[in-house]
Amino acid sequence: MDTPEQDDRVFETVAELFALLSAPVRLRIISAVCQQEKNVSQLLAEIGTTQPNMSQHLATLYRGGVLAKRREGTQVYYRLQNEFVATLCRTVCTQVAIAGEPAGDAFAVRDGDAR
């Protein structure tokens, strides 16, 4: 049986992971590198954001252990480091898409229905 301290550590870890995944740009980056590694130029072409913004999000995902990187000449290539995170993102995004509801309503409790 888990102790309250163990539960607290689990909840803190999950909260940190959700905070890491809380930016739509980061979710797009994870989706973009799920199948193959990509360099920053490829990611910028695929994801509509600025280079400084992309760099900030890539650094956050790298520090968080979600992405790995390698340098080839002047290019930096990013790939998925943590398959668990990709599976989690895929699962949640699929469920929200299936629900077909605006994001604010996706988790609402309706008619006393506790989800």
Side-chain angles (χ1 to χ4, degrees):
M1 183 186 315
D2 290 340
T3 67
E5 293 82 20
Q6 289 171 319
D7 287 345
D8 287 346
R9 281 192 299 255
V10 168
F11 292 141
E12 288 170 11
T13 300
V14 171
E16 289 170 8
L17 176 60
F18 285 156
L20 185 64
L21 302 176
S22 66
V25 170
R26 292 187 204 140
L27 296 173
R28 287 185 185 102
I29 292 168
I30 292 167
S31 177
V33 299
C34 271
Q35 301 302 317
Q36 66 180 21
E37 70 177 10
K38 294 186 178 170
N39 65 33
V40 177
S41 298
Q42 291 168 315
L43 290 168
L44 282 168
E46 192 171 326
I47 300 167
T49 190
T50 64
Q51 195 281 327
N53 192 38
M54 176 67 73
S55 293
Q56 179 184 14
H57 288 294
L58 288 169
T60 299
L61 290 169
Y62 176 75
R63 282 191 312 273
V66 175
L67 298 180
K69 64 182 178 179
R70 70 176 177 87
R71 182 174 291 281
E72 186 175 299
T74 61
Q75 295 292 320
V76 177
Y77 288 84
Y78 289 88
R79 68 184 179 282
L80 195 61
Q81 172 81 11
N82 188 323
E83 186 59 38
F84 170 77
V85 170
T87 300
L88 177 65
C89 290
R90 218 177 281 122
T91 301
V92 173
C93 289
T94 299
Q95 290 303 310
V96 170
I98 288 170
E101 300 173 1
D105 294 337
F107 305 108
V109 176
R110 289 181 179 62
D111 301 323
D113 177 29
R115 290 186 183 176

